[in-house]
């Protein structure tokens, strides 16, 4: 089975720019979650997508937005980048049973390391 | 806001020693997960505990969920260099893993 893949692996942007990060979910998974991991800290939940809709959001401003596509892949978009946005962005996929709140365990990708200068 | 604090933040011990990592919160979680993260990689799930007082063993690793489902511990027996990594606990507020709250992490180094 194909695991979670993220692209690009590394990215350098300038403050004020916009960035798009991509994630392909593991085969058989229909739910994608995004996390931000600052250096030396644990990951923080950004949001989750299920059936192409946002299904839960953490404490992140609206300039963080996302999409999920019919093939369950996902994008994370960040507008008006700030220096504090520098972090490892992790995508995790899982399978949610229809008409159930149960999600299978998360499988994480290796992340995109974003540096904002 | 749910917070999970891990201790110690850093731990460096000799191969063969035992160690315990703690994960504490003032909030109740429906499940508690432990992950290990290697440099340049995403976290990998080690175990999920869901019942207060539950104990799970994974070879030399023993995981325990507190009776009140607010805290957890990870005990490693006879640590080996391959155990080196960042250990993260994560609390789930719903069996659905919709939003995991991660702890601050414990960076473990096993010295050969």
């Amino acid at each position: 089975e194909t695991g979670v893949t993220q692209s690009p692996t590394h990215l350098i942007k300038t403050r004020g720019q916009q960035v798009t990060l991509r994630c392909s979910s593991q085969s058989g998974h229909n739910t994608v979650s995004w996390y931000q991991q600052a250096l030396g800290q644990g990951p923080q939940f950004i949001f989750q997508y299920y059936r192409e809709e946002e299904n839960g959001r953490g404490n992140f401003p609206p300039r963080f937005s996302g999409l999920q596509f019919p093939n369950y892949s996902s994008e994370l978009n960040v507008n008006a980048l700030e220096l504090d946005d520098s972090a490892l962005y992790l995508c995790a996929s899982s399978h949610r049973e229809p008409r159930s709140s149960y999600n299978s365990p998360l499988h994480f990708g290796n992340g995109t390391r974003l540096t904002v200068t | 806001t749910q917070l999970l604090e891990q201790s110690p933040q850093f731990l460096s011990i000799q191969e063969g020693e035992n160690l315990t990592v703690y994960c504490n919160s003032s909030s109740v979680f429906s499940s508690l997960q432990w992950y290990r993260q290697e440099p340049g990689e995403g976290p990998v799930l080690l175990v999920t505990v869901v019942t207060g007082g539950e104990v799970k063993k994974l070879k030399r690793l023993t995981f325990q969920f507190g009776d009140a489902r607010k805290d957890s511990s990870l005990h490693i027996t006879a640590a080996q260099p391959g155990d080196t990594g960042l250990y993260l606990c994560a609390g789930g507020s719903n069996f659905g893993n919709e939003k995991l709250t991660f702890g601050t992490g414990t960076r473990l180094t096993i010295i050969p």
Side-chain angles (χ1 to χ4, degrees):
Chain A
E1 79 190 354
T2 306
V4 178
T5 58
Q6 293 186 242
S7 63
T9 56
H10 295 81
L11 198 54
I12 300 175
K13 288 285 190 178
T14 303
R15 188 173 51 184
Q17 287 187 316
Q18 177 266 340
V19 69
T20 297
L21 310 182
R22 295 178 174 82
C23 172
S24 293
S25 59
Q26 181 168 309
S27 61
H29 286 181
N30 58 12
T31 302
V32 173
S33 303
W34 286 92
Y35 287 80
Q36 180 196 67
Q37 186 175 23
L39 197 62
Q41 298 183 19
Q44 283 196 309
F45 176 75
I46 304 176
F47 43 54
Q48 183 184 81
Y49 277 83
Y50 171 65
R51 287 188 172 182
E52 302 177 50
E53 292 189 356
E54 187 179 289
N55 177 49
R57 187 180 183 93
N59 190 25
F60 281 82
R63 59 188 185 84
F64 284 77
S65 63
L67 285 172
Q68 187 181 31
F69 300 99
N71 67 353
Y72 307 121
S73 66
S74 178
E75 288 183 354
L76 165 64
N77 299 289
V78 187
N79 293 323
L81 284 167
E82 300 177 0
L83 296 179
D84 285 348
D85 295 333
S86 295
L88 179 69
Y89 287 85
L90 294 163
C91 168
S93 73
S94 58
H95 182 77
R96 180 172 179 173
E97 294 293 332
R99 296 182 295 279
S100 167
S101 63
Y102 174 76
N103 271 20
S104 66
L106 298 182
H107 288 250
F108 282 87
N110 289 333
T112 294
R113 172 73 61 188
L114 173 64
T115 302
V116 181
T117 61
Chain B
T1 303
Q2 295 177 313
L3 293 173
L4 276 169
E5 293 190 0
Q6 289 184 236
S7 60
Q9 188 177 358
F10 298 94
L11 184 58
S12 182
I13 64 170
Q14 295 287 336
E15 180 179 358
E17 293 185 351
N18 302 333
L19 68 108
T20 302
V21 175
Y22 299 93
C23 174
N24 295 294
S25 175
S26 58
S27 302
V28 175
F29 292 98
S30 62
S31 68
L32 202 294
Q33 302 176 10
W34 284 91
Y35 292 81
R36 184 169 71 201
Q37 186 176 21
E38 311 265 358
E41 298 181 7
V44 175
L45 179 66
L46 297 174
V47 77
T48 300
V49 284
V50 297
T51 305
E54 183 176 2
V55 176
K56 279 192 175 179
K57 292 191 175 184
L58 184 66
K59 297 183 180 178
R60 294 176 293 100
L61 279 60
T62 301
F63 305 85
Q64 183 163 10
F65 201 10
D67 291 341
R69 291 187 289 134
K70 293 182 179 180
D71 53 80
S72 180
S73 63
L74 159 60
H75 182 79
I76 301 179
T77 303
Q80 298 178 1
D83 296 327
T84 293
L86 178 67
Y87 287 81
L88 295 160
C89 64
S93 56
N94 188 318
F95 281 107
N97 292 320
E98 270 103 23
K99 172 185 173 181
L100 288 180
T101 299
F102 277 86
T104 48
T106 294
R107 187 160 299 280
L108 175 64
T109 303
I110 308 301
I111 303 166

